[in-house]
Amino acid sequence: MPTSLLLRMSGKTILIDAGLGAASAICRAGVALTDIDAIYITHMHSDHYLELGPFFHTAWTAGLNRPIPVIGPSGLPAYWDHFLKSMAFDIALRIADEGRPALADLFEFTSISEGMLVAPDGIGVTALLNDHPPIKESFALRFEGEDKSFVFSGDTARIAQMPLFAKDADLLVHEAMMVDGVNRLVAKLPNIGNLLRTHILRSHTPAHEVGEIAAEAGVQHLALTHLVPDGDPLIGDADWITEVRRAFHGPLTIGKDGIIINL
């Protein structure tokens, strides 16, 4: 499923991105939707925020009655406003018929920018502007708990700042790309293939370069996510591992739906 990470750190539960399937995946992880303490959206590609509105609506029908901080790109309030309008009949009905609080008030938005961000108590969160053209507001995130650190690259081409940003992290979750697989993918899409190939290659990081970043940063554990392309029958876990192992030789996880990694 598209990108969504659940981080439990220093007694807090944080949702990072909300791609399709996020709400059901949270439930499958044994976490109540009403227990989310904060949400961070790295950028406005649909696979990272499509289910943000449905998450809030579903949590609301499950009993959410307090605001959840949402930290993300400046375009998110417009998305939220349009979501509320699309569900206006149902929302008004449930408020009048079931006595629920105003759904609009539960979305507590703060715009994301480089540097220190709004964060739950006991956690420090820092954002780094990454490189995911043509989107300009696209960020990597670093979370510092009481004694652990976690870094998520977001979607990005390789950037020189990433090794320092991820320095000594207990876990780095980084996107990864296999160029041969991208070529096979776009060959199946003759009408848009050239444009899509240009976008993918300039906006993502080859897997062997992810290994170089992790090695330079000295991270304790590397996990790959947002695999590009996903579902290519000619690319398996062994291929991703081979590419990363050209530079990084520490603990490595190939991300799959529902996987749990302990910090």
Side-chain angles (χ1 to χ4, degrees):
M1 295 298 289
T3 305
S4 188
L5 307 176
L6 193 67
L7 175 64
R8 308 196 84 175
M9 174 181 277
S10 300
K12 303 298 183 180
T13 303
I14 296 169
L15 180 64
I16 306 168
D17 285 339
L20 184 65
S24 60
I26 292 168
C27 295
R28 285 195 299 274
V31 176
L33 299 179
T34 53
D35 286 346
I36 300 299
D37 294 299
I39 299 172
Y40 294 82
I41 303 298
T42 61
H43 67 289
M44 291 189 66
H45 262 146
S46 59
D47 52 325
H48 295 258
Y49 77 102
L50 181 65
E51 201 165 291
L52 183 59
F55 161 82
F56 266 96
H57 188 281
T58 308
W60 178 63
T61 60
L64 181 69
N65 58 8
R66 59 171 176 84
I68 297 178
V70 177
I71 301 90
S74 58
L76 276 182
Y79 160 83
W80 177 241
D81 182 58
H82 286 295
F83 175 78
L84 293 175
K85 289 176 181 176
S86 74
M87 297 297 296
F89 175 83
D90 178 87
I91 292 169
L93 181 67
R94 291 181 184 277
I95 291 172
D97 191 48
E98 301 172 10
R100 299 187 183 277
L103 176 57
D105 296 341
L106 305 185
F107 187 101
E108 187 177 85
F109 178 74
T110 301
S111 182
I112 193 171
S113 60
E114 273 202 312
M116 296 296 294
L117 302 178
V118 172
D121 291 342
I123 299 176
V125 184
T126 309
L128 171 69
L129 188 68
N130 62 25
D131 186 16
H132 192 53
I135 291 180
K136 298 186 184 302
E137 291 182 272
S138 182
F139 296 88
L141 299 170
R142 182 175 181 120
F143 295 79
E144 297 280 353
E146 294 166 359
D147 59 353
K148 297 294 181 182
S149 55
F150 163 74
V151 175
F152 177 47
S153 70
D155 285 10
T156 183
R158 185 174 184 172
I159 56 174
Q161 305 95 315
M162 189 65 74
L164 181 60
F165 187 70
K167 186 69 175 176
D168 297 327
D170 291 284
L171 175 64
L172 168 62
V173 175
H174 202 294
E175 67 124 83
M177 170 177 65
M178 205 78 78
V179 175
D180 287 348
V182 172
N183 291 334
R184 286 192 293 272
L185 171 66
V186 300
K188 300 175 184 177
L189 304 167
N191 293 332
I192 64 170
N194 288 336
L195 281 174
L196 180 60
R197 183 179 187 277
T198 298
H199 164 70
I200 292 174
L201 294 184
R202 70 175 179 162
S203 304
H204 298 284
T205 307
H208 72 275
E209 294 186 7
V210 176
E212 293 169 1
I213 292 166
E216 185 178 345
V219 302
Q220 300 302 305
H221 191 144
L222 171 65
L224 304 186
T225 189
H226 197 286
L227 305 178
V228 182
D230 182 34
D232 186 325
L234 298 181
I235 301 175
D237 286 2
D239 300 292
W240 295 106
I241 292 169
T242 296
E243 289 297 297
V244 170
R245 289 291 185 228
R246 289 162 60 177
F248 180 74
H249 303 287
L252 172 63
T253 300
I254 310 303
K256 302 182 189 303
D257 292 346
I259 199 166
I260 297 172
I261 300 174
N262 291 317
L263 292 171

